[in-house]
Amino acid sequence: MVKIYLSKLLGERKLTQNDLAQMTGIRPTTIGEIYHELIQRINIDHIDKICKALGCTISELMEYVPDDHSGRNSSQPVHKRKRYSTF
């Protein structure tokens, strides 16, 4: 899954979601969905605008975190990609 740290970044900078919407021109509803990690897809242009406005990098804004598979039934097989030799 991808974790979005917009709430943390805004808190550190003492900015509101509305402040960011005004700074970036992104709709407040979209900012709210990103803030609450409800968004399913994020526009690359929005990432660019948010990073510019907050003076942060993409890695400070979001991070890939592997899913926790502890709830998976252990009897189910784990499918792995075959590796082929490059020789």
Side-chain angles (χ1 to χ4, degrees), residues 17-62:
Q17 293 176 46
N18 196 45
D19 292 335
L20 184 61
Q22 291 176 0
M23 294 166 67
T24 60
I26 300 171
R27 293 179 321 120
T29 303
T30 303
I31 295 293
E33 290 173 349
I34 296 169
Y35 182 93
H36 294 288
E37 298 186 68
L38 300 174
I39 198 156
Q40 295 295 312
R41 292 174 198 82
I42 186 164
N43 185 312
I44 291 174
D45 187 49
H46 290 172
I47 295 170
D48 182 57
K49 288 178 179 182
I50 292 169
C51 287
K52 283 180 184 174
L54 299 180
C56 68
T57 64
I58 292 174
S59 61
E60 292 171 311
L61 177 62
M62 58 182 62

Side-chain angles (χ1 to χ4, degrees), residues 66-83:
D67 291 333
D68 177 15
H69 294 290
S70 61
R72 184 177 55 82
N73 182 345
S74 60
S75 65
Q76 293 176 332
V78 176
H79 299 286
K80 294 186 178 180
R81 200 185 296 175
K82 290 184 180 179
R83 292 190 176 199

